[in-house]
Each structure stands twice: as structure tokens, then as C-alpha cells.
Amino acid sequence: MLFLRPDFELPCVGASTAGLRSAVRAFVADEIAGGRITPRCNSWTESLAADFSRRLGERGWIGYHWPTQYGGRGGTAFDTLTINEELLAAGAPVGAHWIAARQSAPLLMRFGNEAQRQEFLPGIAAGTTYFGIGMSEPDVGSDLASVRSRAELADGRWVLNGRKVWTSGAHLCHYAIVLCRTAPADPKARHAGLSQLIVDLKAPGVTIRPIRMLDGSHHFNEVIFDNVQVPTERLVGNAGDGWKQVSSELAYERSGPERFLSTMPLVERCLQLVLAGPAAVGDIAAGRLLARLMTLRNMSLGVWGALGAGQSPAIEAAMVKDLGTNFERDAIEVVREAMTADPRVAGDEALAQLMADALPLSPTYNLRGGTNEVLRNMIAKNLQGK
């Protein structure tokens, strides 16, 4: 366990990334001032703006730490983390490219072949190629070993059948990386026989149905695969390696700053109002939020350091996700209480709009990326050495 090691030290990244952080912050401020973007909570799921993603790609700010032959700038993992922190904290519309850059590209970099890297990574870095995740299924939830989608080889191609749910942005994405069974299930080895395929979401047999939120917004989808033909060269790695790949992939999904910065525009606006007035009892709650936020950021830094070193800190990432999503829900409640009880905060229209964005989605925080109950089982088993 990374966080229990006596020699564990947080990476020092402030000085090395200060210039990049200032540049991103200035760029986003100019985008907001020019009316090209509007800050929102949950911007990595709710705000999909292809033009903005393309402008980031032109500056090299998607996949900044990737090798240059794949469209990156050869920076460090902490450079990319710095960029992502600034974009999320500002509520910038990063949803179009987010999953492709955060998750799909690292997967292909580690497990894909060179042809796949050359085909997909430059487009992701340019902010013009988008990916969805095909993991969760109806009646399966976070138990990915129970997936029922199947792919069978026929006439030199994989033929895929099944359903996926909660696929963010599938209606706008070009591809999805789909976890499926390519061998019969074995009750004694539940994780065997799983593979991942890169599926063209415009291919015949793919149907995408919207799953709408309480407020009518749409970023979740159900994706149905009906005899979808997938070229054999779109298999990621080797057949049967799907579970190993997913375990690595989820470390990127669960440890990122989006797990505790989704509501940061709301928290920041509230703190601005609090600091503008005289001290009051509500400052204690604000201080507690900031203390939790800094703890989570330090944990995320530790996980990103391990990822950058080629490790797969899946359990540590699960801890960040569990604590981070609880923080986000608690932050909403603290701000909501302040909006009625703290005269420094009450009546602010900008804060009310951010709350209207964040509140309807708050029930999903502990679900997306794996339910907290499942994650806690994983953590407990690891601590028990099982």
C-alpha cells in the first residue's frame, strides 16, 4: 500500500509546473472573459465543447506528457495533472476529450500495439478524436467480472453482441473501448476470458440510447451491440488480457482530480463570498472543506507519481475516488446550508446557478467509476492481504 509505506514522500511539483499553471490559468480566464466558455460544475461530464478541446490540443495541453511521436510534448505526468487541475477548478468544458485523454490513451500506450497508437493517439492529443468507456452493464454494475457482452471470431473478424450502460458521451464519441467475453466464463477463474475491443460507434449494429438526468441533461447512454463486426486488429493486447488492462485503466479513472474537483467552481465561488465579508462561524466549515481538499490533492499526487513510474496503484486510486466523491457531496451540502444561513453567501446569483448545475448530479458521484461499497471491499481485502 503506497500510503502506508514509511518511505513514502509526496512529489515536489510546485516550482517545476508554476509557469505552465499560470499559462493555463490565463488562457481559461481569457476564454471566460471573451464569452467563449461558461464555467460549470461537473465540466468533465456535462460540458462537451469540441472547439474548446481543439484549442487545447493546438496548445499541446492534451496529453502533454506523452511522447512527441504520439502528439504529446514530452512533459511529465505532473505537467498533465497541473493542466487538468486548472481546467477542472475553472469549470472549463473538457468533456469532449476527457475520457479519451485520461483513460483510453494511457491504455493504448501501455497495452496497445504501435499501429493503434499511431492511429488514435495523435487525434486524441489534437482534441479531435473522442472515446467512450464500455465497461458497466445492466444488472452487473461495478462487478465487471460478470459482464455478459460477448465477442466471437467469425470469418476473420470479431462479432460483438451485448449492452453497456452509463457510457458518458457515447452519442458524441467516435470510438469506445469495450470490455467483453471472448472465452466462456469459468466460475473458478471469474476474471479470465475477458478482452477489450476498440469499437467504431458509427459501425452497423451499434445503437446509442440516451439516459437523461433529473434535469433533462444528457451525457449518459445505453449502448447496444447487435452483431457488430470488429476487425481483429482492433483487439487491445492479447485475447484474455482484459481484466489486467481494466485494473490498470481504472487507476487512471479513479485517481484523477475530477474525483474531488468536479464541484470546485461552486466551492471557490462560496469561498470568494466568505472571504469578502467579516469573519463568522461559517468560516470553520469552509476551513474543514479546504483541509479535506488539500489532503485529497496530496493523495492524488502520490498516485500520479506511482502511475508515472509505471506502477498500477489500483487500491490507492480506489481510496482517492471513495474519499473524493464523498467530499464532493459534502461540499454541496455545506454550500447549500451557507446559502440560507450565511448572509455573506445568500442571494448570490452566480452561486445559485452553480448549485443548480451540481445538485441534480450529486447522487451519481458515489456511483460513477465504481460504487463506494465495491471500492471499500477492494480496499479492505487488500489491507487484509487477501
Side-chain angles (χ1 to χ4, degrees):
M1 171 68 73
L2 181 69
F3 299 137
L4 299 181
R5 283 170 37 189
D7 60 341
F8 173 69
E9 294 184 3
L10 284 174
C12 297
V13 299
S16 63
T17 61
L20 180 60
R21 185 178 299 278
S22 296
V24 177
R25 189 171 296 182
F27 167 74
V28 174
D30 182 67
E31 291 280 300
I32 294 172
R36 290 180 290 278
I37 66 173
T38 300
R40 292 191 63 181
C41 291
N42 299 292
S43 64
W44 61 281
T45 59
E46 295 301 294
S47 298
L48 290 81
D51 288 346
F52 182 77
S53 291
R54 188 165 54 251
R55 290 196 291 275
L56 290 177
E58 290 170 353
R59 288 163 175 78
W61 288 348
I62 301 175
Y64 192 88
H65 67 294
W66 302 350
T68 54
Q69 66 264 35
Y70 304 134
R73 296 299 176 94
T76 70
F78 296 113
D79 290 329
T80 294
L81 180 60
T82 296
I83 294 167
N84 291 346
E85 284 181 335
E86 289 300 317
L87 295 171
L88 290 170
V94 296
H97 71 269
W98 191 260
I99 291 173
R102 175 195 70 184
Q103 199 163 333
S104 304
L107 173 77
L108 295 177
M109 211 110 50
R110 182 168 181 180
F111 297 105
N113 56 46
E114 186 61 21
Q116 291 169 348
R117 298 186 194 106
Q118 293 289 350
E119 181 178 2
F120 298 113
L121 296 186
I124 295 174
T128 57
T129 300
Y130 312 139
F131 273 71
I133 301 170
M135 290 188 186
S136 295
E137 296 186 0
D139 304 320
V140 171
S142 298
D143 183 15
L144 296 180
S146 298
V147 298
R148 301 169 184 169
S149 295
R150 303 186 62 83
E152 298 178 350
L153 278 174
D155 299 324
R157 301 171 81 82
W158 292 102
V159 180
L160 174 64
N161 286 279
R163 287 197 298 165
K164 298 293 179 177
V165 291
W166 316 123
T167 308
S168 295
H171 57 301
L172 299 173
C173 289
H174 304 100
Y175 302 95
I177 295 182
V178 178
L179 179 68
C180 58
R181 288 214 158 269
T182 52
D186 182 354
K188 296 181 180 180
R190 297 181 67 240
H191 300 137
L194 295 168
S195 304
Q196 293 203 99
L197 298 173
I198 304 169
V199 180
D200 184 344
L201 291 178
K202 301 298 188 292
V206 177
T207 302
I208 300 173
R209 296 175 177 170
I211 300 175
R212 297 196 179 276
M213 305 302 292
L214 289 172
D215 61 353
S217 62
H218 168 212
H219 73 265
F220 282 137
N221 298 274
E222 178 186 32
V223 185
I224 301 168
F225 305 101
D226 183 10
N227 288 323
V228 177
Q229 297 193 32
V230 182
T232 55
E233 58 267 25
R234 293 288 171 84
L235 173 71
V236 179
N238 298 313
D241 285 350
W243 185 255
K244 176 178 68 175
Q245 296 168 6
V246 163
S247 298
S248 172
E249 193 178 347
L250 288 174
Y252 287 94
E253 178 178 356
R254 291 168 174 166
S255 67
E258 67 271 30
R259 296 306 175 188
F260 53 90
L261 290 181
S262 292
T263 55
M264 192 59 196
L266 177 75
V267 173
E268 183 176 10
R269 180 59 184 169
C270 183
L271 292 176
Q272 289 172 345
L273 296 169
V274 166
L275 293 173
V281 175
D283 294 354
I284 297 175
R288 288 173 176 165
L289 281 181
L290 287 175
R292 289 174 66 182
L293 177 63
M294 291 310 299
T295 300
L296 286 163
R297 181 176 184 268
N298 286 339
M299 292 176 69
S300 184
L301 281 174
V303 175
W304 271 71
L307 290 170
Q311 303 171 28
S312 297
I315 300 302
E316 293 85 346
M319 295 174 69
V320 173
K321 195 273 180 187
D322 176 85
L323 295 172
T325 52
N326 279 321
F327 165 79
E328 290 183 317
R329 294 183 67 172
D330 292 346
I332 288 176
E333 293 306 313
V334 169
V335 174
R336 185 161 64 163
E337 182 177 343
M339 290 172 69
T340 58
D342 193 326
R344 299 170 299 178
V345 175
D348 184 76
E349 292 184 4
L351 187 66
Q353 182 57 56
L354 289 168
M355 177 61 75
D357 282 343
L359 189 58
L361 286 171
S362 60
T364 71
Y365 295 168
N366 296 130
L367 300 174
R368 59 192 187 190
T371 65
N372 283 28
E373 291 79 8
V374 169
L375 297 181
R376 290 175 184 180
N377 281 338
M378 291 170 49
I379 295 166
K381 289 179 180 179
N382 180 269
L383 291 175
Q384 291 174 345
K386 297 182 180 180

